[in-house]
């Protein structure tokens, strides 16, 4: 079974600065998908960014980018120019492409605080 | 707006009762997933349906059941409710093709058991 580990329960960053959230995972599969979801105080689950394991290029979405290191099984999220609206719980998630195992497996989350 | 619709948004009920949570997936999505998020816990996968058939089962209690109907909407039935069942229940969906690898979440149904 796959596991996802987020070793930073809480992080804080000054507004306009850059912060990196860490995520590692364990799998024996060679093809898979990785995601970061954001959960603000409203408790909605909002997709931030996704990465296909077969792609070597790191995904980028505006101020959000990832550092995907497949051999190290590491998938960190970098948030540039942090804004107050970025304050949320961030979950790293793994998804297998295989039939019957397509669910998302989540890490325990990192609570990000933005300091004005 | 993810396109996944869940009702009701909030529900308060007594122990021992039964409730039904409803989910409409994004248009065209065949897979529906149910997750439970308790206050101090992460997201626990409950069950997945694909085009009306059960596809995968997670940590779903025997008191809970789900189904997916021909129009692809899904219902999660929770019975003999206990205080510990109080949680946020998410429905999520995914589709086919190039977007099929991404799972989109509804806003959740808050269940409070008193």
């Amino acid at each position: 079974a796959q596991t996802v580990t987020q070793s930073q329960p809480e992080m804080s960053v000054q507004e306009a600065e850059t912060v990196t959230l860490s995520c590692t995972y364990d799998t024996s599969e060679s093809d898979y998908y990785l995601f970061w979801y954001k959960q603000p105080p409203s408790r909605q689950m909002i997709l931030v960014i996704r990465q296909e394991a077969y792609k070597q290029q790191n995904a980028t979405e505006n101020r959000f980018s990832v550092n995907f290191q497949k051999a190290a099984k590491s998938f960190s999220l970098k948030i540039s120019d942090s804004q107050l609206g970025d304050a949320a719980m961030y979950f790293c998630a793994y998804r297998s492409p295989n039939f019957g195992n397509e669910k998302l497996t989540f890490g325990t989350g990192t609570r990000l605080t933005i300091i004005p | 707006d993810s396109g996944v619709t869940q009702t009701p948004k909030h529900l308060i009920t007594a122990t021992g009762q039964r409730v039904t949570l409803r989910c409409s997936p994004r248009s065209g999505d065949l897979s529906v997933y149910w997750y439970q998020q308790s206050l101090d816990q992460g997201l626990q996968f409950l069950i997945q349906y694909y085009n009306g058939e059960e596809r995968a089962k997670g940590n779903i209690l025997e008191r809970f059941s789900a189904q997916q109907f021909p129009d692809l909407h899904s219902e999660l039935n929770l019975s003999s409710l206990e205080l510990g069942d109080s949680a946020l229940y998410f429905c999520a969906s995914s589709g086919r093709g190039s977007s099929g690898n991404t799972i989109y979440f509804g806003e959740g149904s808050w269940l409070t058991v008193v």
Side-chain angles (χ1 to χ4, degrees):
Chain A
Q2 296 83 22
T3 59
V4 178
T5 302
Q6 293 179 250
S7 58
Q8 306 154 313
E10 296 184 356
M11 293 279 286
S12 60
V13 63
Q14 293 275 359
E15 194 176 1
E17 295 296 308
T18 296
V19 64
T20 298
L21 309 184
S22 300
C23 173
T24 59
Y25 57 94
D26 189 27
T27 184
S28 58
E29 298 176 322
S30 58
D31 190 23
Y32 47 86
Y33 309 102
L34 297 166
F35 304 86
W36 280 97
Y37 285 87
K38 167 185 176 180
Q39 189 175 42
S42 66
R43 302 296 291 270
Q44 282 183 267
M45 290 292 289
I46 302 166
L47 175 69
V48 175
I49 199 165
R50 63 178 168 228
Q51 174 81 44
E52 291 88 346
Y54 65 85
K55 290 186 178 178
Q56 292 188 338
Q57 187 172 7
N58 289 324
T60 300
E61 289 286 344
N62 301 314
R63 298 183 294 107
F64 298 87
S65 62
V66 299
N67 184 5
F68 173 49
Q69 302 288 328
K70 191 172 184 179
K73 295 179 183 174
S74 171
F75 183 60
S76 61
L77 175 69
K78 185 170 84 170
I79 306 174
S80 304
D81 185 25
S82 297
Q83 300 175 1
L84 294 178
D86 295 333
M89 183 74 92
Y90 286 81
F91 290 97
C92 178
Y94 173 102
R95 187 184 186 203
S96 167
N98 295 324
F99 182 94
N101 196 27
E102 300 140 302
K103 68 182 186 300
L104 286 166
T105 299
F106 287 92
T108 50
T110 297
R111 185 173 303 281
L112 178 64
T113 301
I114 310 297
I115 303 166
Chain B
D1 183 5
S2 68
V4 181
T5 303
Q6 289 187 247
T7 56
K9 287 190 169 30
H10 299 272
L11 190 57
I12 301 174
T13 191
T15 54
Q17 295 299 304
R18 172 190 171 94
V19 299
T20 297
L21 309 180
R22 195 179 191 279
C23 169
S24 294
R26 293 190 319 150
S27 178
D29 282 359
L30 299 180
S31 275
V32 168
Y33 310 78
W34 287 97
Y35 282 83
Q36 179 193 56
Q37 186 179 35
S38 303
L39 262 180
D40 295 323
Q41 295 188 18
L43 290 116
Q44 302 293 321
F45 168 69
L46 296 178
I47 199 164
Q48 177 198 359
Y49 277 83
Y50 180 85
N51 202 21
E53 299 288 328
E54 183 183 305
R55 182 113 145 183
K57 211 170 212 182
N59 301 321
I60 188 167
L61 299 172
E62 286 190 11
R63 300 182 286 108
F64 296 0
S65 65
Q67 56 185 325
Q68 187 179 26
F69 296 87
D71 67 352
L72 301 177
H73 91 271
S74 178
E75 292 181 356
L76 179 66
N77 300 295
L78 315 175
S79 61
S80 303
L81 285 166
E82 302 174 359
L83 295 178
D85 297 327
S86 295
L88 180 56
Y89 290 85
F90 283 109
C91 172
S93 75
S94 65
R96 293 176 291 183
S98 60
S99 68
N101 61 49
T102 300
I103 297 179
Y104 295 93
F105 285 77
E107 294 187 358
S109 291
W110 279 98
L111 173 65
T112 303
V113 183
V114 297

